[in-house]
Amino acid sequence: MKIGLLCGHRIPDLLNTKEILTVETKYGSIPVEISPVGKHIVFFINRHGPNANLPPHMINYRGNIAALAASHVDYILSVGTVGSLHKQMKPGDIVIPHDFIDFTKTRPQTFFESERVHVDMTNPYCPLIREQLLIAAKKIHSLTVHDHGVYLATEGPRLETISEIKFFSQYADVVGMTGVPEVILAREKSICYASLCLVSNMAAGLQSELSTDTIKKMYTQKQPYISKILTSTITNLEKKQKCSCKTDISKAKI
Ligand SMILES: [Zn+2]
């Protein structure tokens, strides 16, 4: 089975890259690393581009998802760091979101620009992948794992203000910059998608100061656990079971 993996960092404990393909898409050329993991083949894309330098608002989201769709992956796993909006979700915790709120502003959100297609977002994250991520994460007893969470996506690249965080915390649990529109575009391509979020910091106003160094350090510290969770999840994913992610696009058209 083919499984797509989107992350902003390399995952050396997981990936054993055999080759790098360049997939040509309508939105540009996308390098995809091919790596066997257990009985499956992982198609890894650094969402920040080949030089890992694209800020969240400049990421080629459509190119990345189009490249995975062209590679015929069955599932997409996404990994990202987030800020926590609530004291019960602490730095170092794992959150598997079940829903999202979109506060991005400038990103193309759809593959459909010349026809009226409205995909259903009632359950944006694949329940099958979420279940496997949760089983895998809960095996690591030193980690605190949150079964549910609302992911609020901001445009970035700046971090949020204290007032924004107060507002967001009424409706969401974690805040990040890259989870949207990936989740929407995956649904438009009828690919199951779910996200593994590492809480790297408390959001603005909930900790004394916020620096990108804190975020990087937390990711480096927890990277071995993320690799373990992903390895176990990928190993345990089976060929399509029942879920409703597979969108019949003809039914989403007006
Ligand atoms: Zn699914």
Side-chain angles (χ1 to χ4, degrees), residues 112 117 119 187-190 247-253:
F112 300 102
V117 176
V119 288
R187 179 59 54 87
E188 286 194 348
K189 291 290 187 188
S190 288
T247 306
D248 181 349
I249 291 297
S250 67
K251 289 185 181 161
K253 281 183 190 172

Side-chain angles (χ1 to χ4, degrees), residues 93-160:
D93 289 2
I94 295 293
V95 182
I96 310 297
H98 71 285
D99 204 351
F100 73 85
I101 296 173
D102 181 15
F103 268 79
T104 66
K105 296 169 185 166
T106 64
R107 309 168 185 190
Q109 301 250 346
T110 181
F111 289 112
F112 300 102
E113 294 188 318
S114 56
E115 52 188 334
R116 294 160 64 186
V117 176
H118 308 278
V119 288
D120 181 14
M121 282 281 120
T122 307
N123 291 300
Y125 298 98
C126 175
L128 299 176
I129 312 181
R130 289 188 73 252
E131 183 186 12
Q132 292 303 330
L133 283 168
L134 286 166
I135 290 170
K138 286 178 179 178
K139 280 185 195 155
I140 303 172
H141 298 300
S142 57
L143 284 179
T144 301
V145 181
H146 301 274
D147 294 46
H148 289 81
V150 176
Y151 178 108
L152 188 140
T154 60
E155 180 67 9
R158 68 168 177 84
L159 295 167
E160 303 76 33

Side-chain angles (χ1 to χ4, degrees), residues 75 126-129 192-193 240 243-246:
Y75 295 102
C126 175
L128 299 176
I129 312 181
C192 294
Y193 174 102
K240 292 281 185 221
C243 65
S244 58
C245 310
K246 198 123 187 99

